[in-house]
Every structure is written in structure tokens, then in C-alpha cells.
Amino acid sequence: MALKKIQTPLTDESVLDLKAGDRVELSGTIFTARDAAHQRLIETIRKGEDLPFELNGSIIYYSGSSPAAPGKVIGACGPTTSYRMDEMTLPLLELGLKGMIGKGERSQEVINAMQTHKAVYFAAIGGAGALIARAVKKNDVIAYDDLGAEAIRKLEVEGFKAIVVIDAHGNNLYETEPSKYKTTT
Amino acid sequence: MREVHVDDVIQKISQMCIDCNYNIGRDIKEALVKAEISEVSPIGKSIIGDLLLNSQIAGDQQMPICQDTGMVVVFVEIGQEVHIVGGLLEDAIQRGIREGYEKGYLRKSVVSDPLIRKNSKDNTPGVVYYDIVEGGKLKISLAAKGFGSENMSKLKMLKPSDGIEGVEAFVLSVVEEAGPNPCPPIVVGVGIGGTVDKAAQIAKKALFRNIDESSPIPYVADLETRLLEKINQLGIGPQGLGGVNTALGVNIELFPTHIAGLPVVVNINCHASRHAVAYL
Ligand code: SF4
């Protein structure tokens, strides 16, 4: 299991170099978006309007942080469960989304599209929001402020720890790992 | 008659919302420490280590353990001798939630209408259950329930003949299907009996019990132990990335039921199992 340092934005080459099981430390810019923000992004694409950030090469983090206390950059900011975004992810991958950070499994459609469009899915530790917050250096709401916890935030991160759980070659840790420890039939 | 002023209720509820979100329960912490030792998967072991570090940071910096600071669920036991003064108890509880979530920089995760989905911006309303009991005390049990795990919960109306084996098989299937989504290691609350609503309510109540306390009914305590073992043989492991620590505890509550039925609800909670008890 290699530790790889990754700088955003991602390219096809950097994505293809990542293998399920790799631990990474991400640095650069990532964008948070969860359920309601995805609905708006899809709506924007359908209407042919401009998206609030450059999707090509970007990483979306499925997360809705808790409010920053005074003097803090951000509150707790761990991942939310990804499957709820599955259907809305396909159009984003077509437009060049290269990375997603969340927790939990993805649909076969998403996994296939990740191979076609060369994208990678990272897991951050669900429930480790206070720990993850230490990697966030800057935090700005850039769209959909009215959605409260679900607004899109631009985060500048340094050494954001994650695990490659599904790579662009179709390897999936959620498929391969649990069976190694299963002791019932 | 003993008087309890609503101001005390507001203050207590607000404090409980903040405390349980910042400070991991003693029972959960002890279980995580044991799990870190027993975990055989290298990724799993490091994940549990990170969860312990996370709870340490949250406690030290007084910030939430997890950004999903939950929807609040409150069980209130009102002694018959208690007289609430100064306003309505329900209003006081909701106001306590509002103040706690604001003051504690907790996330507001509640939408006022499940279909129109507009955020209420103050995390109210919470779900409140009332019981009238004997005595002159007001007991408040409060939980901040995260929805990654709530979403993985399930109900099944078993046949009476399905029995304990049927219950076991159902619980295992729910945990297996949930996989990585509820942020394992999880806590599993099981409600058996009653009606559809009662089974769900007691499954929730089961999650308020510390995981190192067994059911007082011996055969149910055995079932809790057995289910915990079987769940941990599923291999799901921390965050669903493989391992022998899928659950930290299983708590079961029972209620009498109808001759024709065996309702079972499995309510899943994550390791960020946030609950607190107070007396007024
Ligand atoms: S399931 Fe629990 S630990 Fe995971 S994100 Fe939700 S509240 Fe946090």
C-alpha cells in the first residue's frame, strides 16, 4: 500500500496512476457538494448555463461541514454517504469530473463511467470530521448559500488523507477486502 | 407537586445537544480502544486509530465529533408529581435544541417538510416522546441521530414461526446490506414486538442504552452477544474496508405483540453514537 501525494487538479495520467488500496494525501482545491447542490448542478447543466466552478479536472467532496466556530477555518467536515449522488454523478463525469471523495459503495453505472472517463473515487473516514478539519486551510462558500449546510464550498486543503477505494481500472476495495475477513458462510 | 421551570429544561437540553456532539461516550471509547487492539486488518486498525484520534481532537477543541450533528430525538419521562411551570414543555424542548445547535456551532440538518425540503435553519423540530411515570422527577434522554446510519435501518414483519432464528437472519441481512454506508464500526439497535410504530420506537430506545450494558432478560442478553459475534464475522470491518470489527454493540428491546405477528426493526447507529441523560 503506497502513500501518494496528489496535487489538484487531477489529470488522466494522475488518475490512471492511482490503484485501489493506495493511501493518498491530497493538496490543492476541492469542492464540496452533496444532495441538494447536485440537484442544482444537474439543473444548471440541463439548462445549458455555466457551472459555479470548473468541473474539468476537479474533485468533488461529498460533505456538508458543521459551522466554523470563531477563530476556526471550518467545523467538522467528514464525508457523507455517496450512493445518494450516484445518478447525478454520471453527467458530471461526462464533463470532466476526475475525482470524488465520500464514503460507501457506488453503483455499477458510476464505476463503469469512471473507467470510461478516467476518474477515481476516494474514501475519507466517515465520522472523523474533527480530524479531517485539520487539513482544511481555507473555506469559502462559492454557490447556493441558501442551501445552508448543503452550499458548495471551495476548500483549500493540505495533506487531506484519503484511501483510493475504487480506481479507474474497475478495482473496488469494498468488493475485495471484506471477503478476506468473512468467517461465516 | 414538584415544580420544574421550562427555563431549566431549555438550558439542560441545549447543554446536552452540545455535550453529546463534542464528547464521545465512555462506553464507545472503551469499545474502540479494544477494537483497535483486536482488529486484524491493517487498514481497519489504522481507521480505528484515526477515530480515536478524532474523538480526542473533538473533545480537546470542543468541536463536533462528526459534521452530521444529527436530528435530535428525546425521550422524556415525566413523573406524575411534576408540575411544569413557565410555559409549554414541548416548546421548551424545541427551544433548547435551537439554542444548543446555534451556540455549539452544530450543523442544522433538518428540513421542515420532507418533500419540499427547505432547511429549517435551526435543526428543529426534534422528535419527542413522552411517558408519564411515577415520582417527582423529569428524566430527559437525548440523542443526536446521524442519518448515514439511520438510512440503513429496516423494518420487517416476520411470521411468529420465524422465531429467534428469523430475527437473527434479518438483523444480519440488514447489517450486511448496509455495508460501509453507516460508518462502521456501528451500534445496532433492535426492537422486537409491539406494532409497526412500537417496534421502531423501542429499536431507537435500544440505542440509548450504553453498549456495555446487557438486556436484563437473560435470553435476550445471550442473543445480543451472539448477534454481535455473528455480525463481526461478516468481514465488513471498519468503514467497510474489511476486518473483524463491524459492530461495537447490539442492544435489543422487547415489547408484547399480537398472536399473528413478530415485528422487528433494526435501527443502525454509527460509532458517533451520541446520547445523554439528565434529571430535573
Ligand atoms: S453515519 Fe454517523 S459517523 Fe457517519 S457521517 Fe453519519 S453521523 Fe457521522
Side-chain angles (χ1 to χ4, degrees):
Chain A
M1 234 180 301
L3 174 71
K4 294 179 175 164
K5 293 191 190 280
I6 307 284
Q7 187 68 41
T8 67
L10 297 179
T11 61
D12 283 359
E13 294 70 53
S14 58
V15 166
L16 289 172
D17 185 46
L18 292 170
K19 301 276 148 43
D22 287 348
R23 286 154 191 259
V24 299
E25 284 185 4
L26 297 164
S27 298
T29 306
I30 61 178
F31 298 92
T32 70
R34 42 173 298 152
D35 310 64
H38 270 74
Q39 283 177 9
R40 293 218 186 153
L41 290 174
I42 298 303
E43 196 54 36
T44 307
I45 293 171
R46 199 176 297 139
K47 286 192 197 146
E49 291 168 2
D50 284 345
L51 290 170
F53 62 93
E54 175 59 56
L55 205 51
N56 201 8
S58 69
I59 297 179
I60 288 183
Y61 181 25
Y62 305 135
S63 180
S65 53
S66 64
K72 297 261 171 67
V73 175
I74 198 165
C77 58
T80 193
T81 322
S82 310
Y83 74 89
R84 298 191 311 269
M85 270 57 77
D86 277 350
E87 280 173 28
M88 299 182 282
T89 297
L90 299 175
L92 304 180
L93 289 169
E94 281 167 19
L95 290 174
L97 174 69
K98 285 281 157 223
M100 296 152 283
I101 312 170
K103 65 176 172 93
E105 305 202 54
R106 307 309 302 263
S107 67
Q108 197 53 50
E109 287 75 26
V110 170
I111 296 174
N112 293 345
M114 283 168 57
Q115 290 189 63
T116 314
H117 302 290
K118 303 188 179 62
V120 62
Y121 174 51
F122 306 96
I125 299 179
L131 174 62
I132 293 170
R134 297 206 298 199
V136 179
K137 304 301 168 195
K138 216 163 164 279
N139 159 28
D140 295 297
V141 171
I142 57 156
Y144 317 147
D145 203 5
D146 60 301
L147 293 179
E150 296 203 62
I152 293 190
R153 291 166 183 276
K154 180 180 174 192
L155 305 183
E156 300 298 337
V157 298
E158 244 175 65
F160 182 111
K161 282 194 198 166
I163 303 166
V164 178
V165 278
I166 305 177
D167 63 27
H169 312 280
N171 301 307
N172 179 356
L173 285 198
Y174 293 127
E175 289 289 323
T176 54
E177 296 309 295
S179 54
K180 294 182 189 164
Y181 301 94
K182 186 166 180 163
T183 49
T184 45
T185 45
Chain B
M1 275 297 181
R2 198 181 145 249
E3 291 196 343
V4 173
H5 199 279
V6 288
D7 286 352
D8 295 332
V9 176
I10 296 169
Q11 212 260 326
K12 187 57 84 181
I13 294 266
S14 158
Q15 197 55 47
M16 289 168 94
C17 289
I18 297 172
D19 278 351
C20 77
N21 269 297
Y22 289 180
N23 305 304
I24 193 175
R26 175 202 46 81
D27 57 328
I28 299 288
K29 182 162 184 200
E30 284 173 12
L32 283 174
V33 167
K34 277 192 208 149
E36 190 185 20
I37 296 164
S38 69
E39 187 50 63
V40 293
S41 138
I43 302 184
K45 215 181 184 61
S46 84
I47 288 169
I48 297 170
D50 279 349
L51 291 177
L52 282 164
L53 177 59
N54 181 70
S55 63
Q56 180 77 38
I57 295 171
D60 288 352
Q61 302 198 5
Q62 290 293 285
M63 67 186 286
I65 299 162
C66 177
Q67 74 288 340
D68 181 356
T69 51
M71 183 165 192
V72 176
V73 182
V74 189
F75 284 91
V76 189
E77 288 177 28
I78 310 165
Q80 287 211 96
E81 310 301 319
V82 174
H83 183 211
I84 306 286
V85 295
L88 288 178
L89 180 57
E90 173 75 21
D91 291 352
I93 292 170
Q94 302 297 353
R95 183 158 160 209
I97 295 171
R98 190 175 305 128
E99 290 187 2
Y101 274 69
E102 195 51 44
K103 215 165 80 190
Y105 296 92
L106 305 178
R107 198 181 76 183
K108 288 79 182 170
S109 313
V110 173
V111 291
S112 314
D113 178 302
L115 295 172
I116 294 173
R117 306 203 70 81
K118 197 167 176 346
N119 197 303
S120 70
K121 300 258 167 112
D122 61 8
N123 219 51
T124 68
V127 177
V128 189
Y129 297 102
Y130 298 95
D131 268 322
I132 310 285
V133 299
E134 144 184 83
K137 285 221 160 97
L138 188 70
K139 179 181 177 189
I140 301 171
S141 308
L142 178 147
K145 186 64 179 74
F147 256 60
S149 49
E150 191 75 0
N151 279 339
M152 296 297 118
S153 306
K154 279 205 167 67
L155 158 86
K156 191 166 183 186
M157 303 304 278
L158 297 182
K159 296 192 297 293
S161 61
D162 291 332
I164 292 191
E165 277 163 31
V167 171
E168 278 188 31
F170 177 55
V171 174
L172 289 170
S173 73
V174 174
V175 172
E176 183 139 49
E177 207 180 310
N181 294 340
C183 296
I186 57 176
V187 176
V188 183
V190 186
I192 308 173
T195 46
V196 162
D197 50 320
K198 190 67 190 177
Q201 193 215 36
I202 59 178
K204 178 68 84 245
K205 202 160 196 182
L207 295 176
F208 281 68
R209 191 187 339 135
N210 284 342
I211 52 174
D212 51 7
E213 283 165 36
S214 303
S215 164
I217 308 164
Y219 90 89
V220 179
D222 285 348
L223 180 58
E224 290 175 343
T225 311
R226 196 157 68 241
L227 269 172
L228 180 60
E229 259 168 41
K230 289 189 175 174
I231 288 170
N232 285 332
Q233 288 168 358
L234 292 173
I236 297 167
Q239 300 289 310
L241 293 173
V244 297
N245 288 284
T246 301
L248 300 173
V250 177
N251 287 350
I252 302 174
E253 294 289 329
L254 305 185
F255 196 84
T257 191
H258 189 278
I259 47 172
L262 178 52
V264 183
V265 169
V266 181
N267 193 188
I268 299 196
N269 207 358
C270 42
H271 58 86
S273 161
R274 294 151 293 187
H275 54 93
V277 181
Y279 294 87
L280 283 174

